[in-house]
Amino acid sequence: MNLTVNVVEENEKSILNVVGEIDAYTAPKLKETLLPLTRAEGKIIEVNLENVNYMDSTGLGVFISALKSTKESNSKLMLVNLQERVLRIFEITGLDEIMDIKAAIRGGNE
Amino acid sequence: MEEVISKNATNYKELLRNYMESQDEQALYGVEKVSKAFIKNNILPEEIVNLHIQAMAEVCNDLTEDYKNSMNFLLEAMIFYGLAMQEIPLLREEKHILQSEISVAASMQKTLLGTNKPEINGMDIGVISVPAHQMNGDYHHFVKGKDGSLGIAIADVIGKGIPAALCMSMIKYSMDSYPEESMSPKSILKNLNRVVERNVDPSMFITMCYAHYQPQESKLSFSSAGHEPGYYYNAETDTFKEFETRGLVLGVSPDTEYKEYEMTINKDDMVILLTDGVTECRDGDRFIESQEVLDIIKKYSDLPAQEMVENVYKHFERLQDFQLRDDFTLMVLRKNS
């Protein structure tokens, strides 16, 4: 199972393109890239999950610690283009109500 | 070691000579036996190269200087393999120590977190919990109140393995300290949320469903903290319905309030509680859809609850490319009178 994460800087915004599966083995890689970004004061971090079709609860843990970190440094975390299966995990856990999340357009990239 | 080498040196030379003369299969088989004996006695690869250099000098008398130099070069290259190989027994021993420590921890966890399935009048209960690795990050717990009511907790701590298991002990002891009968599911979750929020690492959190059953009124009340939704099986209409429970996972936000839901359970109805290890089962690359889980539950629903959950697990275990990636807990409560 592979995961690639690349970062594109766009003015005040960092866009993280994540491709692959986020699970216990790959989550540390995401965490290593994501967490330092959230520590920059006032930054917007957009995580593009369009090409992630599987994420387990370890992945949620990474996003939760990122969210907590943004609150300390006044940065902002946005998750965009979530596939249905991934979105469902955020909904079940109630995290969709405390995080900025946008689903992928249905039928878009399945 | 020296002894093994010298004992095999002549043998190696003869085998090599045979092979050089006739490319004899028998010789290849012979050398295989020699190298196996060397491996067994932890003889390093460079010793074999050395043996080969000496044997060649005796077998052929027209070796070129280039050939000899190249063999010395190879000898040098093999030394590093030898060094790496010497570490293996040490690593093996370390692994063995770690394994035995983990199994001590795992059995201690079983004792600490153990719960007895209670006998409740009119309720047939079945539960199975299988860890993906040695330590289980899923947890379930039954509490029988003095008034005959039943408290049921099912939880999944995010993060796997040992940290997850340690975290579960904290939950269990917090729950033990509550005066169960006086507390509703929503206040239990609210309290636990505070405990978890204060005490665990930011990347760790817990999902939990807490249910409370009162047999006299056949009433089930429950709250969920971001837990995988369970199902209600209505015997009269022969249909399953997913619980539409909302609630934030434990440990994220300190002031979270939880909603409480209530329902009446009739004879032969079932309540199915599970963890995401069940819904995230995979058969090779294929995800097992929740409908499939329900179909299998239905298939075994004539059995007593305990046999039912065991058969459901066995069903998935039998799938050809099945691998348990996450801890698997499945609980069935069926009202039987």
Side-chain angles (χ1 to χ4, degrees):
Chain A
M1 249 44 80
N2 279 322
L3 183 81
T4 61
V5 183
N6 79 68
V7 186
V8 184
E9 293 291 340
E10 241 178 44
N11 304 323
E12 288 302 287
K13 197 157 88 173
S14 299
I15 300 173
L16 232 75
N17 288 304
V18 188
V19 179
E21 300 196 347
I22 308 175
D23 60 19
Y25 301 100
T26 61
K29 192 170 175 180
L30 174 64
K31 192 171 181 173
E32 268 165 38
T33 320
L34 179 58
L35 279 207
L37 293 173
T38 58
R39 293 192 197 110
E41 191 74 25
K43 189 113 185 177
I44 297 173
I45 305 109
E46 186 180 288
V47 183
N48 181 7
L49 295 171
E50 185 180 355
N51 292 306
V52 173
N53 48 34
Y54 176 82
M55 180 177 91
D56 73 2
S57 35
T58 333
L60 280 186
V62 174
F63 289 120
I64 288 177
S65 39
L67 180 74
K68 286 182 177 173
S69 164
T70 56
K71 287 191 175 145
E72 279 161 26
S73 54
N74 250 328
S75 53
K76 189 169 159 39
L77 178 69
M78 290 158 67
L79 309 183
V80 299
N81 297 329
L82 277 72
Q83 299 292 326
E84 207 159 325
R85 185 177 280 279
V86 176
L87 180 65
R88 178 176 176 268
I89 302 177
F90 283 96
E91 286 171 348
I92 289 172
T93 49
L95 292 167
D96 61 329
E97 289 181 17
I98 59 164
M99 282 185 170
D100 192 332
I101 290 174
K102 283 187 189 67
I105 297 158
R106 262 156 224 251
N109 192 330
E110 259 295 40
Chain B
M1 194 157 105
E2 292 296 321
E3 203 185 315
V4 183
I5 298 174
S6 64
K7 224 162 79 185
N8 282 288
T10 331
N11 197 3
Y12 187 90
K13 194 171 69 189
E14 284 317 306
L15 289 166
L16 181 63
R17 195 197 303 278
N18 279 349
Y19 188 73
M20 305 270 287
E21 279 165 10
S22 62
Q23 282 85 56
D24 184 7
E25 289 269 333
Q26 236 8 67
L28 288 179
Y29 175 67
V31 79
E32 183 184 325
K33 284 213 294 209
V34 171
S35 66
K36 277 183 180 160
F38 280 15
I39 291 169
K40 200 172 151 200
N41 289 284
N42 293 324
I43 287 165
L44 302 174
E46 70 257 31
E47 298 283 1
I48 298 184
V49 176
N50 196 27
L51 196 65
H52 185 77
I53 293 173
Q54 288 170 11
M56 278 299 278
E58 290 184 38
V59 172
C60 302
N61 38 27
D62 54 355
L63 293 178
T64 65
E65 276 309 302
D66 278 351
Y67 171 81
K68 287 180 188 166
N69 288 336
S70 84
M71 288 308 284
N72 286 332
F73 191 78
L74 177 63
L75 185 67
E76 195 62 31
M78 292 317 283
I79 286 173
F80 298 98
Y81 276 90
L83 290 176
M85 258 180 70
Q86 278 172 315
E87 282 179 26
I88 292 174
L90 197 69
L91 292 175
R92 248 189 226 135
E93 195 184 331
E94 276 177 12
K95 183 179 163 227
H96 186 72
I97 293 171
L98 284 175
Q99 263 173 345
S100 62
E101 273 187 23
I102 293 171
S103 67
V104 170
S107 74
M108 194 166 159
Q109 184 201 18
K110 263 196 194 133
T111 318
L112 287 175
L113 299 184
T115 186
N116 287 326
K117 210 173 66 181
E119 296 296 322
I120 296 287
N121 238 345
M123 183 69 98
D124 183 19
I125 303 172
V127 60
I128 185 168
S129 188
V130 185
H133 303 290
Q134 281 200 43
M135 309 271 283
N136 199 339
D138 282 359
Y139 171 64
H140 65 275
H141 188 60
F142 298 104
V143 189
K144 195 174 171 181
K146 288 193 189 87
D147 57 353
S149 69
L150 175 67
I152 306 144
I154 183 165
D156 182 2
V157 52
I158 299 334
K160 291 180 174 66
I162 297 170
L166 292 175
C167 195
M168 269 311 163
S169 309
M170 180 177 81
I171 289 288
K172 146 118 178 158
Y173 290 115
S174 314
M175 280 198 305
D176 278 351
S177 70
Y178 300 147
E180 316 288 344
E181 287 128 73
S182 60
M183 280 175 80
S184 61
K186 67 175 181 188
S187 32
I188 287 178
L189 291 186
K190 188 174 154 68
N191 276 314
L192 285 178
N193 179 52
R194 269 206 303 269
V195 174
V196 178
E197 207 271 334
R198 280 184 203 161
N199 293 292
V200 305
D201 176 87
S203 66
M204 238 160 123
F205 61 88
I206 295 170
T207 74
M208 179 185 266
C209 174
Y210 196 94
H212 190 236
Y213 179 66
Q214 285 157 296
Q216 287 88 0
E217 300 148 70
S218 300
K219 196 180 84 181
L220 184 82
S221 47
F222 55 97
S223 291
S224 167
H227 195 76
E228 185 70 25
Y231 295 90
Y232 165 66
Y233 172 74
N234 184 329
E236 199 183 39
T237 59
D238 189 23
T239 49
F240 286 96
K241 189 170 176 293
E242 190 178 275
F243 287 132
E244 284 167 17
T245 45
R246 302 289 298 189
L248 187 62
V249 293
L250 303 176
V252 173
S253 177
D255 303 314
T256 313
E257 296 281 342
Y258 292 92
K259 265 189 217 151
E260 191 163 307
Y261 304 82
E262 235 181 58
M263 63 190 295
T264 308
I265 303 197
N266 299 309
K267 186 170 181 303
D268 294 330
D269 286 357
M270 290 191 286
V271 172
I272 294 139
L273 300 176
L274 36 78
T275 59
D276 60 0
V278 179
T279 45
E280 277 177 23
C281 273
R282 281 192 189 193
D283 179 15
D285 270 343
R286 184 180 73 92
F287 287 100
I288 289 160
E289 300 297 332
S290 46
Q291 187 54 48
E292 199 174 332
V293 178
L294 294 179
D295 288 345
I296 302 305
I297 290 177
K298 185 83 211 308
K299 183 176 159 195
Y300 292 112
S301 61
D302 289 339
L303 296 171
Q306 188 58 38
E307 286 176 40
M308 206 170 132
V309 292
E310 281 164 14
N311 275 291
V312 172
Y313 178 70
K314 275 188 207 138
H315 168 91
F316 290 118
E317 204 185 26
R318 273 197 303 264
L319 293 179
Q320 203 180 6
D321 290 318
F322 176 72
Q323 41 165 333
L324 197 56
R325 289 163 63 112
D326 198 355
D327 309 324
F328 178 112
T329 302
L330 176 66
M331 191 190 288
V332 169
L333 310 151
R334 178 169 46 203
K335 188 171 157 61
N336 54 11
S337 65

